[in-house]
Amino acid sequence: MTPAERRRRLLAAGFALPLLAWRTGAAQGLRPTPACGADGTAPSATPPQTAGPYYMPNSPQRGVLVEAGDSAPRLLLVGRVLTTACRPVAGALLDVWHCDAEGHYDNAGFRHRGHLFADASGAYRLETIVPGLYPGRTRHIHIRVQAPNGRPLTTQLYFPEEPDNAGDGLWQRRLEITFAPRAGAPAQAGRFDFVLDG
Ligand SMILES: [Fe+2]
């Protein structure tokens, strides 16, 4: 992909405003992606996916899942939680878990596990590492998103252009994080907007 093509893709994915927000240090206050109602159609709900065997309740509340000693590339993930009517889901709960850089889940403690809440505009901000790989799966992040008093949406997020995506029966392009290049740390900055039914 040429730089011009990449830029067009990012703009089409609604990166211009969020990227500006990151550059100015204002990660909060992200505007809805243009896809959300801009063409007169309501966005479809984010597809659910299996939680897999490694979910653990009662994770600590924190927006940073970088652990002491982590040397893996950092990942900044931002976005919003919206309804299918494009309304922000203020205070939405986001419960995140993923494997470490070596592909291992912490099933005894809470490394790379945590929950956080969207702000009044539905915006969230998560700092973590790029998870590793384990046999049978492509690179992914597990997440459960829930409106206050709403039903939880359990799904998984994926990374574009991963060699193992096509061979993973769970992977969906619709669930890929959109990335933009960003100078400085974290090494990768991505965006994903969750759309909840109702
Ligand atoms: Fe997993």
Side-chain angles (χ1 to χ4, degrees), residues 27-75:
Q28 303 299 320
L30 297 172
R31 301 187 188 186
T33 59
C36 192
D39 59 358
T41 62
S44 58
T46 302
Q49 294 223 303
T50 177
Y54 301 120
Y55 175 71
M56 283 172 48
N58 304 315
S59 68
Q61 181 179 343
R62 53 185 178 178
V64 179
L65 303 186
V66 179
E67 305 286 353
D70 272 335
S71 58
R74 301 297 197 260
L75 170 66

mmCIF file of all heavy atoms in Angstrom, residues 27-75:
data_model
loop_
_atom_site.group_PDB
_atom_site.id
_atom_site.type_symbol
_atom_site.label_atom_id
_atom_site.label_comp_id
_atom_site.label_asym_id
_atom_site.label_seq_id
_atom_site.Cartn_x
_atom_site.Cartn_y
_atom_site.Cartn_z
ATOM 1 N N ALA A 27 -7.006 13.210 24.141
ATOM 2 C CA ALA A 27 -7.534 11.908 23.725
ATOM 3 C C ALA A 27 -9.031 11.822 24.007
ATOM 4 O O ALA A 27 -9.745 11.073 23.359
ATOM 5 C CB ALA A 27 -6.809 10.784 24.446
ATOM 6 N N GLN A 28 -9.487 12.588 24.945
ATOM 7 C CA GLN A 28 -10.915 12.576 25.231
ATOM 8 C C GLN A 28 -11.628 13.513 24.266
ATOM 9 O O GLN A 28 -11.020 14.309 23.569
ATOM 10 C CB GLN A 28 -11.178 13.014 26.670
ATOM 11 C CG GLN A 28 -10.453 12.164 27.696
ATOM 12 C CD GLN A 28 -10.877 10.707 27.657
ATOM 13 O OE1 GLN A 28 -12.048 10.415 27.495
ATOM 14 N NE2 GLN A 28 -9.925 9.802 27.791
ATOM 15 N N GLY A 29 -12.941 13.434 24.224
ATOM 16 C CA GLY A 29 -13.695 14.335 23.387
ATOM 17 C C GLY A 29 -13.661 13.966 21.924
ATOM 18 O O GLY A 29 -13.859 14.819 21.064
ATOM 19 N N LEU A 30 -13.394 12.699 21.618
ATOM 20 C CA LEU A 30 -13.378 12.274 20.230
ATOM 21 C C LEU A 30 -14.758 12.410 19.633
ATOM 22 O O LEU A 30 -15.756 12.133 20.269
ATOM 23 C CB LEU A 30 -12.921 10.815 20.142
ATOM 24 C CG LEU A 30 -11.512 10.548 20.632
ATOM 25 C CD1 LEU A 30 -11.273 9.053 20.683
ATOM 26 C CD2 LEU A 30 -10.507 11.225 19.738
ATOM 27 N N ARG A 31 -14.803 12.815 18.407
ATOM 28 C CA ARG A 31 -16.096 12.935 17.720
ATOM 29 C C ARG A 31 -16.475 11.586 17.122
ATOM 30 O O ARG A 31 -15.625 10.744 16.882
ATOM 31 C CB ARG A 31 -15.997 13.985 16.630
ATOM 32 C CG ARG A 31 -15.601 15.335 17.199
ATOM 33 C CD ARG A 31 -15.663 16.403 16.149
ATOM 34 N NE ARG A 31 -15.105 17.635 16.672
ATOM 35 C CZ ARG A 31 -15.131 18.771 16.004
ATOM 36 N NH1 ARG A 31 -15.681 18.833 14.815
ATOM 37 N NH2 ARG A 31 -14.604 19.852 16.531
ATOM 38 N N PRO A 32 -17.754 11.405 16.832
ATOM 39 C CA PRO A 32 -18.153 10.145 16.204
ATOM 40 C C PRO A 32 -17.466 9.992 14.854
ATOM 41 O O PRO A 32 -17.153 10.982 14.194
ATOM 42 C CB PRO A 32 -19.664 10.285 16.019
ATOM 43 C CG PRO A 32 -20.070 11.417 16.890
ATOM 44 C CD PRO A 32 -18.870 12.300 17.040
ATOM 45 N N THR A 33 -17.231 8.773 14.457
ATOM 46 C CA THR A 33 -16.678 8.559 13.132
ATOM 47 C C THR A 33 -17.698 9.031 12.098
ATOM 48 O O THR A 33 -18.901 8.984 12.326
ATOM 49 C CB THR A 33 -16.401 7.070 12.894
ATOM 50 O OG1 THR A 33 -17.619 6.368 13.033
ATOM 51 C CG2 THR A 33 -15.381 6.546 13.873
ATOM 52 N N PRO A 34 -17.237 9.483 10.945
ATOM 53 C CA PRO A 34 -18.180 9.921 9.902
ATOM 54 C C PRO A 34 -19.147 8.811 9.516
ATOM 55 O O PRO A 34 -20.259 9.089 9.082
ATOM 56 C CB PRO A 34 -17.256 10.273 8.730
ATOM 57 C CG PRO A 34 -15.961 10.631 9.383
ATOM 58 C CD PRO A 34 -15.854 9.731 10.583
ATOM 59 N N ALA A 35 -18.733 7.568 9.682
ATOM 60 C CA ALA A 35 -19.605 6.468 9.294
ATOM 61 C C ALA A 35 -20.855 6.414 10.159
ATOM 62 O O ALA A 35 -21.854 5.830 9.764
ATOM 63 C CB ALA A 35 -18.859 5.150 9.398
ATOM 64 N N CYS A 36 -20.797 7.036 11.339
ATOM 65 C CA CYS A 36 -21.923 6.940 12.248
ATOM 66 C C CYS A 36 -22.986 7.946 11.875
ATOM 67 O O CYS A 36 -23.006 9.082 12.352
ATOM 68 C CB CYS A 36 -21.472 7.152 13.692
ATOM 69 S SG CYS A 36 -22.746 6.692 14.879
ATOM 70 N N GLY A 37 -23.866 7.562 10.994
ATOM 71 C CA GLY A 37 -24.981 8.399 10.626
ATOM 72 C C GLY A 37 -24.679 9.426 9.558
ATOM 73 O O GLY A 37 -25.576 10.105 9.079
ATOM 74 N N ALA A 38 -23.411 9.539 9.146
ATOM 75 C CA ALA A 38 -23.056 10.586 8.198
ATOM 76 C C ALA A 38 -23.727 10.384 6.841
ATOM 77 O O ALA A 38 -24.028 11.337 6.143
ATOM 78 C CB ALA A 38 -21.543 10.640 8.009
ATOM 79 N N ASP A 39 -23.957 9.133 6.487
ATOM 80 C CA ASP A 39 -24.584 8.868 5.192
ATOM 81 C C ASP A 39 -26.075 8.597 5.337
ATOM 82 O O ASP A 39 -26.727 8.099 4.422
ATOM 83 C CB ASP A 39 -23.900 7.678 4.502
ATOM 84 C CG ASP A 39 -23.980 6.419 5.362
ATOM 85 O OD1 ASP A 39 -24.520 6.498 6.490
ATOM 86 O OD2 ASP A 39 -23.512 5.366 4.904
ATOM 87 N N GLY A 40 -26.618 8.915 6.502
ATOM 88 C CA GLY A 40 -28.043 8.757 6.713
ATOM 89 C C GLY A 40 -28.454 7.366 7.147
ATOM 90 O O GLY A 40 -29.637 7.105 7.334
ATOM 91 N N THR A 41 -27.501 6.480 7.297
ATOM 92 C CA THR A 41 -27.825 5.122 7.733
ATOM 93 C C THR A 41 -27.255 4.889 9.126
ATOM 94 O O THR A 41 -26.190 5.402 9.464
ATOM 95 C CB THR A 41 -27.243 4.070 6.776
ATOM 96 O OG1 THR A 41 -25.822 4.209 6.783
ATOM 97 C CG2 THR A 41 -27.769 4.261 5.365
ATOM 98 N N ALA A 42 -27.979 4.124 9.895
ATOM 99 C CA ALA A 42 -27.512 3.807 11.238
ATOM 100 C C ALA A 42 -26.418 2.743 11.152
ATOM 101 O O ALA A 42 -26.473 1.867 10.287
ATOM 102 C CB ALA A 42 -28.666 3.286 12.081
ATOM 103 N N PRO A 43 -25.423 2.825 12.012
ATOM 104 C CA PRO A 43 -24.385 1.798 11.994
ATOM 105 C C PRO A 43 -24.932 0.480 12.526
ATOM 106 O O PRO A 43 -25.841 0.462 13.361
ATOM 107 C CB PRO A 43 -23.318 2.366 12.924
ATOM 108 C CG PRO A 43 -24.073 3.243 13.860
ATOM 109 C CD PRO A 43 -25.227 3.805 13.073
ATOM 110 N N SER A 44 -24.395 -0.601 12.037
ATOM 111 C CA SER A 44 -24.811 -1.907 12.548
ATOM 112 C C SER A 44 -24.077 -2.191 13.855
ATOM 113 O O SER A 44 -22.987 -1.661 14.117
ATOM 114 C CB SER A 44 -24.510 -2.999 11.524
ATOM 115 O OG SER A 44 -23.133 -3.004 11.219
ATOM 116 N N ALA A 45 -24.709 -2.997 14.669
ATOM 117 C CA ALA A 45 -24.117 -3.329 15.970
ATOM 118 C C ALA A 45 -22.823 -4.116 15.779
ATOM 119 O O ALA A 45 -22.681 -4.893 14.821
ATOM 120 C CB ALA A 45 -25.111 -4.146 16.792
ATOM 121 N N THR A 46 -21.892 -3.895 16.678
ATOM 122 C CA THR A 46 -20.636 -4.648 16.655
ATOM 123 C C THR A 46 -20.934 -6.131 16.836
ATOM 124 O O THR A 46 -21.667 -6.504 17.765
ATOM 125 C CB THR A 46 -19.713 -4.154 17.783
ATOM 126 O OG1 THR A 46 -19.490 -2.750 17.604
ATOM 127 C CG2 THR A 46 -18.385 -4.889 17.769
ATOM 128 N N PRO A 47 -20.397 -6.989 15.981
ATOM 129 C CA PRO A 47 -20.704 -8.419 16.098
ATOM 130 C C PRO A 47 -20.163 -9.020 17.397
ATOM 131 O O PRO A 47 -19.053 -8.696 17.805
ATOM 132 C CB PRO A 47 -19.986 -9.048 14.887
ATOM 133 C CG PRO A 47 -19.625 -7.916 13.991
ATOM 134 C CD PRO A 47 -19.529 -6.692 14.838
ATOM 135 N N PRO A 48 -20.951 -9.878 18.023
ATOM 136 C CA PRO A 48 -20.440 -10.583 19.204
ATOM 137 C C PRO A 48 -19.511 -11.724 18.796
ATOM 138 O O PRO A 48 -19.602 -12.237 17.685
ATOM 139 C CB PRO A 48 -21.714 -11.134 19.859
ATOM 140 C CG PRO A 48 -22.681 -11.293 18.726
ATOM 141 C CD PRO A 48 -22.346 -10.220 17.723
ATOM 142 N N GLN A 49 -18.623 -12.072 19.704
ATOM 143 C CA GLN A 49 -17.755 -13.231 19.507
ATOM 144 C C GLN A 49 -17.630 -13.977 20.826
ATOM 145 O O GLN A 49 -17.929 -13.446 21.898
ATOM 146 C CB GLN A 49 -16.373 -12.771 19.034
ATOM 147 C CG GLN A 49 -16.375 -12.133 17.654
ATOM 148 C CD GLN A 49 -15.227 -12.612 16.818
ATOM 149 O OE1 GLN A 49 -14.089 -12.474 17.213
ATOM 150 N NE2 GLN A 49 -15.530 -13.166 15.639
ATOM 151 N N THR A 50 -17.144 -15.194 20.735
ATOM 152 C CA THR A 50 -16.972 -15.997 21.941
ATOM 153 C C THR A 50 -15.988 -15.340 22.911
ATOM 154 O O THR A 50 -15.034 -14.684 22.482
ATOM 155 C CB THR A 50 -16.461 -17.409 21.590
ATOM 156 O OG1 THR A 50 -16.233 -18.130 22.795
ATOM 157 C CG2 THR A 50 -15.168 -17.348 20.795
ATOM 158 N N ALA A 51 -16.230 -15.518 24.193
ATOM 159 C CA ALA A 51 -15.288 -15.028 25.197
ATOM 160 C C ALA A 51 -14.050 -15.919 25.269
ATOM 161 O O ALA A 51 -13.004 -15.489 25.767
ATOM 162 C CB ALA A 51 -15.956 -14.967 26.566
ATOM 163 N N GLY A 52 -14.162 -17.151 24.771
ATOM 164 C CA GLY A 52 -13.043 -18.069 24.917
ATOM 165 C C GLY A 52 -12.919 -18.542 26.354
ATOM 166 O O GLY A 52 -13.747 -18.197 27.208
ATOM 167 N N PRO A 53 -11.889 -19.303 26.635
ATOM 168 C CA PRO A 53 -11.787 -19.945 27.958
ATOM 169 C C PRO A 53 -11.103 -19.101 29.033
ATOM 170 O O PRO A 53 -10.978 -19.561 30.170
ATOM 171 C CB PRO A 53 -10.950 -21.195 27.660
ATOM 172 C CG PRO A 53 -10.103 -20.811 26.498
ATOM 173 C CD PRO A 53 -10.897 -19.818 25.688
ATOM 174 N N TYR A 54 -10.644 -17.883 28.688
ATOM 175 C CA TYR A 54 -9.742 -17.207 29.623
ATOM 176 C C TYR A 54 -10.328 -15.967 30.294
ATOM 177 O O TYR A 54 -9.607 -15.215 30.943
ATOM 178 C CB TYR A 54 -8.441 -16.824 28.903
ATOM 179 C CG TYR A 54 -7.733 -18.014 28.320
ATOM 180 C CD1 TYR A 54 -7.480 -18.113 26.953
ATOM 181 C CD2 TYR A 54 -7.325 -19.063 29.134
ATOM 182 C CE1 TYR A 54 -6.840 -19.214 26.415
ATOM 183 C CE2 TYR A 54 -6.681 -20.170 28.618
ATOM 184 C CZ TYR A 54 -6.446 -20.244 27.251
ATOM 185 O OH TYR A 54 -5.819 -21.338 26.725
ATOM 186 N N TYR A 55 -11.629 -15.750 30.145
ATOM 187 C CA TYR A 55 -12.213 -14.593 30.837
ATOM 188 C C TYR A 55 -12.189 -14.815 32.341
ATOM 189 O O TYR A 55 -12.434 -15.934 32.815
ATOM 190 C CB TYR A 55 -13.650 -14.364 30.384
ATOM 191 C CG TYR A 55 -14.335 -13.254 31.155
ATOM 192 C CD1 TYR A 55 -13.950 -11.931 30.953
ATOM 193 C CD2 TYR A 55 -15.325 -13.540 32.092
ATOM 194 C CE1 TYR A 55 -14.550 -10.911 31.677
ATOM 195 C CE2 TYR A 55 -15.923 -12.514 32.817
ATOM 196 C CZ TYR A 55 -15.531 -11.204 32.601
ATOM 197 O OH TYR A 55 -16.113 -10.194 33.318
ATOM 198 N N MET A 56 -11.891 -13.762 33.070
ATOM 199 C CA MET A 56 -11.961 -13.806 34.535
ATOM 200 C C MET A 56 -12.715 -12.574 35.017
ATOM 201 O O MET A 56 -12.392 -11.462 34.602
ATOM 202 C CB MET A 56 -10.563 -13.810 35.163
ATOM 203 C CG MET A 56 -9.866 -15.162 35.076
ATOM 204 S SD MET A 56 -8.137 -15.089 35.603
ATOM 205 C CE MET A 56 -8.276 -14.193 37.139
ATOM 206 N N PRO A 57 -13.729 -12.754 35.859
ATOM 207 C CA PRO A 57 -14.434 -11.592 36.406
ATOM 208 C C PRO A 57 -13.573 -10.872 37.438
ATOM 209 O O PRO A 57 -12.512 -11.362 37.839
ATOM 210 C CB PRO A 57 -15.677 -12.213 37.053
ATOM 211 C CG PRO A 57 -15.263 -13.596 37.401
ATOM 212 C CD PRO A 57 -14.250 -14.021 36.372
ATOM 213 N N ASN A 58 -14.059 -9.724 37.850
ATOM 214 C CA ASN A 58 -13.440 -8.965 38.940
ATOM 215 C C ASN A 58 -12.049 -8.430 38.609
ATOM 216 O O ASN A 58 -11.173 -8.355 39.477
ATOM 217 C CB ASN A 58 -13.377 -9.814 40.226
ATOM 218 C CG ASN A 58 -14.740 -10.329 40.635
ATOM 219 O OD1 ASN A 58 -15.703 -9.572 40.623
ATOM 220 N ND2 ASN A 58 -14.829 -11.608 40.944
ATOM 221 N N SER A 59 -11.838 -8.067 37.345
ATOM 222 C CA SER A 59 -10.551 -7.469 36.975
ATOM 223 C C SER A 59 -10.437 -6.095 37.627
ATOM 224 O O SER A 59 -11.448 -5.452 37.926
ATOM 225 C CB SER A 59 -10.434 -7.351 35.456
ATOM 226 O OG SER A 59 -11.362 -6.389 34.970
ATOM 227 N N PRO A 60 -9.209 -5.624 37.832
ATOM 228 C CA PRO A 60 -9.042 -4.290 38.437
ATOM 229 C C PRO A 60 -9.480 -3.183 37.492
ATOM 230 O O PRO A 60 -9.400 -3.341 36.267
ATOM 231 C CB PRO A 60 -7.535 -4.210 38.703
ATOM 232 C CG PRO A 60 -6.923 -5.231 37.813
ATOM 233 C CD PRO A 60 -7.936 -6.295 37.591
ATOM 234 N N GLN A 61 -9.952 -2.072 38.070
ATOM 235 C CA GLN A 61 -10.316 -0.915 37.244
ATOM 236 C C GLN A 61 -9.061 -0.132 36.906
ATOM 237 O O GLN A 61 -8.367 0.386 37.791
ATOM 238 C CB GLN A 61 -11.299 -0.011 37.985
ATOM 239 C CG GLN A 61 -11.715 1.190 37.127
ATOM 240 C CD GLN A 61 -12.712 2.097 37.824
ATOM 241 O OE1 GLN A 61 -13.346 1.702 38.801
ATOM 242 N NE2 GLN A 61 -12.847 3.314 37.325
ATOM 243 N N ARG A 62 -8.732 -0.075 35.625
ATOM 244 C CA ARG A 62 -7.551 0.662 35.176
ATOM 245 C C ARG A 62 -7.588 0.765 33.658
ATOM 246 O O ARG A 62 -8.058 -0.137 32.967
ATOM 247 C CB ARG A 62 -6.258 -0.029 35.619
ATOM 248 C CG ARG A 62 -6.183 -1.504 35.227
ATOM 249 C CD ARG A 62 -4.955 -2.164 35.795
ATOM 250 N NE ARG A 62 -4.892 -3.592 35.468
ATOM 251 C CZ ARG A 62 -3.908 -4.385 35.811
ATOM 252 N NH1 ARG A 62 -2.895 -3.913 36.518
ATOM 253 N NH2 ARG A 62 -3.914 -5.666 35.477
ATOM 254 N N GLY A 63 -7.048 1.853 33.161
ATOM 255 C CA GLY A 63 -7.008 2.055 31.713
ATOM 256 C C GLY A 63 -5.649 1.773 31.125
ATOM 257 O O GLY A 63 -5.437 1.951 29.930
ATOM 258 N N VAL A 64 -4.714 1.342 31.980
ATOM 259 C CA VAL A 64 -3.364 1.021 31.522
ATOM 260 C C VAL A 64 -3.065 -0.420 31.899
ATOM 261 O O VAL A 64 -3.043 -0.770 33.084
ATOM 262 C CB VAL A 64 -2.314 1.967 32.153
ATOM 263 C CG1 VAL A 64 -0.920 1.598 31.666
ATOM 264 C CG2 VAL A 64 -2.638 3.419 31.809
ATOM 265 N N LEU A 65 -2.857 -1.255 30.886
ATOM 266 C CA LEU A 65 -2.590 -2.673 31.130
ATOM 267 C C LEU A 65 -1.135 -3.022 30.833
ATOM 268 O O LEU A 65 -0.798 -4.184 30.662
ATOM 269 C CB LEU A 65 -3.516 -3.553 30.275
ATOM 270 C CG LEU A 65 -5.020 -3.325 30.473
ATOM 271 C CD1 LEU A 65 -5.819 -4.356 29.676
ATOM 272 C CD2 LEU A 65 -5.405 -3.386 31.945
ATOM 273 N N VAL A 66 -0.293 -2.003 30.745
ATOM 274 C CA VAL A 66 1.140 -2.246 30.586
ATOM 275 C C VAL A 66 1.673 -2.711 31.934
ATOM 276 O O VAL A 66 1.403 -2.083 32.965
ATOM 277 C CB VAL A 66 1.877 -0.965 30.131
ATOM 278 C CG1 VAL A 66 3.364 -1.235 29.992
ATOM 279 C CG2 VAL A 66 1.293 -0.459 28.825
ATOM 280 N N GLU A 67 2.405 -3.820 31.920
ATOM 281 C CA GLU A 67 2.895 -4.392 33.165
ATOM 282 C C GLU A 67 4.400 -4.105 33.321
ATOM 283 O O GLU A 67 5.100 -3.892 32.323
ATOM 284 C CB GLU A 67 2.682 -5.909 33.174
ATOM 285 C CG GLU A 67 1.244 -6.331 32.918
ATOM 286 C CD GLU A 67 0.333 -6.084 34.120
ATOM 287 O OE1 GLU A 67 0.836 -5.714 35.194
ATOM 288 O OE2 GLU A 67 -0.892 -6.253 33.959
ATOM 289 N N ALA A 68 4.873 -4.135 34.553
ATOM 290 C CA ALA A 68 6.300 -3.949 34.804
ATOM 291 C C ALA A 68 7.083 -4.987 34.009
ATOM 292 O O ALA A 68 6.749 -6.169 34.013
ATOM 293 C CB ALA A 68 6.585 -4.095 36.298
ATOM 294 N N GLY A 69 8.108 -4.540 33.338
ATOM 295 C CA GLY A 69 8.947 -5.453 32.572
ATOM 296 C C GLY A 69 8.483 -5.698 31.158
ATOM 297 O O GLY A 69 9.172 -6.375 30.392
ATOM 298 N N ASP A 70 7.334 -5.168 30.790
ATOM 299 C CA ASP A 70 6.865 -5.330 29.409
ATOM 300 C C ASP A 70 7.812 -4.626 28.443
ATOM 301 O O ASP A 70 8.073 -3.435 28.590
ATOM 302 C CB ASP A 70 5.462 -4.714 29.239
ATOM 303 C CG ASP A 70 4.358 -5.701 29.560
ATOM 304 O OD1 ASP A 70 4.605 -6.910 29.456
ATOM 305 O OD2 ASP A 70 3.254 -5.250 29.894
ATOM 306 N N SER A 71 8.294 -5.357 27.475
ATOM 307 C CA SER A 71 9.127 -4.722 26.449
ATOM 308 C C SER A 71 8.450 -4.763 25.085
ATOM 309 O O SER A 71 9.023 -4.322 24.091
ATOM 310 C CB SER A 71 10.490 -5.421 26.364
ATOM 311 O OG SER A 71 10.317 -6.801 26.078
ATOM 312 N N ALA A 72 7.245 -5.307 25.037
ATOM 313 C CA ALA A 72 6.514 -5.401 23.769
ATOM 314 C C ALA A 72 6.098 -4.008 23.308
ATOM 315 O O ALA A 72 5.986 -3.083 24.124
ATOM 316 C CB ALA A 72 5.274 -6.275 23.950
ATOM 317 N N PRO A 73 5.866 -3.843 22.023
ATOM 318 C CA PRO A 73 5.370 -2.544 21.526
ATOM 319 C C PRO A 73 4.093 -2.132 22.246
ATOM 320 O O PRO A 73 3.226 -2.962 22.528
ATOM 321 C CB PRO A 73 5.099 -2.816 20.042
ATOM 322 C CG PRO A 73 5.945 -3.985 19.694
ATOM 323 C CD PRO A 73 6.038 -4.817 20.945
ATOM 324 N N ARG A 74 4.014 -0.859 22.550
ATOM 325 C CA ARG A 74 2.826 -0.339 23.221
ATOM 326 C C ARG A 74 1.681 -0.151 22.238
ATOM 327 O O ARG A 74 1.902 0.097 21.052
ATOM 328 C CB ARG A 74 3.136 1.011 23.877
ATOM 329 C CG ARG A 74 4.253 0.968 24.904
ATOM 330 C CD ARG A 74 3.886 0.071 26.071
ATOM 331 N NE ARG A 74 4.738 0.318 27.235
ATOM 332 C CZ ARG A 74 5.781 -0.431 27.572
ATOM 333 N NH1 ARG A 74 6.112 -1.473 26.842
ATOM 334 N NH2 ARG A 74 6.487 -0.153 28.648
ATOM 335 N N LEU A 75 0.495 -0.239 22.766
ATOM 336 C CA LEU A 75 -0.702 -0.019 21.961
ATOM 337 C C LEU A 75 -1.594 0.975 22.688
ATOM 338 O O LEU A 75 -1.926 0.775 23.863
ATOM 339 C CB LEU A 75 -1.462 -1.339 21.765
ATOM 340 C CG LEU A 75 -2.863 -1.220 21.153
ATOM 341 C CD1 LEU A 75 -2.788 -0.717 19.712
ATOM 342 C CD2 LEU A 75 -3.587 -2.570 21.196
#
